[in-house]
Amino acid sequence: MRALVIYCHPRRGSFTEAVRDVILGKLEAAGAEVRLRDLYAEGFDPVLSAPEHEGYEVEPGNRLPVESHVADLTWCDALIFVYPTWWYGLPAMIKGWLDRVMLPGVAFLMPDAQNANIRPGLTHVTRLGVFTTCGASWWLTRMIGAPGRRTLLRGVRLLCAKGCRTAFAAHYLMDSSTDASRARHLEKVAAKMDRLIGADGKQQEAAA
């Protein structure tokens, strides 16, 4: 397994960091190859500039401003997002990463003479994980429509392999969380990762 972990949080020592570490531990135990992109730590620029927008559909030159990120995305077969939910959606860093890295010719194929709609470009991605925290409750997040979850588990998922295995875990009501609730959530994350990794990962671990 080749796992790309997209991590997004501005502060060290956050609970989101603890979630990330559980995920990385599970991947390491399964013998997976892992590439971690810590967007804040590396100073990723989430802004899609005017020149980038102008050349958005021009392949392969559209890859040049984010070439290393594109290389990671085309390398992986498991894509995992770890981030806090803000205003029911994705932080600007994650949204900007999608805007700049999920490019035509990389994440999807543009319409052409034979195809009226876009087509998936991430068919090598067979596992998609989404792990987040939410200040709001489960029911309020769902009432608003959970736009962050939908963007990743519907929008990105449609670009991945057919039958792509998915995992999702969110700690709701983070502002009133307790040591006990956070510990339970980390156990949930671990269990979700076990299911996401599945039999293939266990076989890799046994062979190591």
Side-chain angles (χ1 to χ4, degrees), residues 157-184:
R157 167 65 184 78
L158 286 172
L159 304 177
C160 298
K162 290 183 178 179
C164 178
R165 187 180 298 171
T166 61
F168 175 82
H171 189 311
Y172 298 97
L173 294 172
M174 268 303 298
D175 296 330
S176 56
S177 67
T178 64
D179 290 344
S181 73
R182 293 190 294 273
R184 286 194 302 270

Side-chain angles (χ1 to χ4, degrees), residues 2-163:
R2 299 182 304 277
L4 173 60
V5 179
I6 305 299
Y7 174 70
C8 175
H9 199 285
R11 291 187 295 109
R12 298 192 64 179
S14 69
F15 181 65
T16 302
E17 185 178 272
V19 171
R20 180 203 66 190
D21 289 346
V22 169
I23 291 166
L24 294 177
K26 284 293 183 179
L27 291 169
E28 180 181 358
E33 297 178 65
V34 180
R35 294 184 185 179
L36 171 67
R37 301 304 299 240
D38 184 333
L39 299 184
Y40 274 97
E42 68 180 72
F44 180 79
D45 184 356
V47 177
L48 180 66
S49 68
E52 280 184 66
H53 188 266
E54 185 175 0
Y56 185 74
E57 297 179 17
V58 182
E59 304 173 30
N62 58 354
R63 304 180 180 202
L64 293 178
V66 287
E67 193 169 20
S68 67
H69 286 269
V70 169
D72 287 346
L73 183 59
T74 56
W75 164 85
C76 74
D77 57 29
L79 179 58
I80 300 173
F81 294 91
V82 188
Y83 64 95
T85 293
W86 292 337
W87 279 100
Y88 308 99
L90 301 171
M93 276 287 195
I94 294 281
K95 181 58 171 62
W97 188 88
L98 296 176
D99 291 343
R100 298 187 65 209
V101 180
M102 292 283 191
L103 291 162
V106 177
F108 59 93
L109 307 179
M110 293 294 291
D112 56 24
Q114 288 76 40
N115 301 277
N117 206 342
I118 63 170
R119 288 151 290 146
L122 299 178
T123 53
H124 56 285
V125 175
T126 59
R127 292 174 174 85
L128 177 64
V130 177
F131 297 89
T132 189
T133 58
C134 303
S137 64
W138 178 89
W139 71 264
L140 183 56
T141 302
R142 284 305 182 95
M143 183 181 74
I144 299 299
R149 175 178 179 170
R150 291 171 67 181
T151 295
L152 297 177
L153 288 184
R154 294 188 185 184
V156 173
R157 167 65 184 78
L158 286 172
L159 304 177
C160 298
K162 290 183 178 179

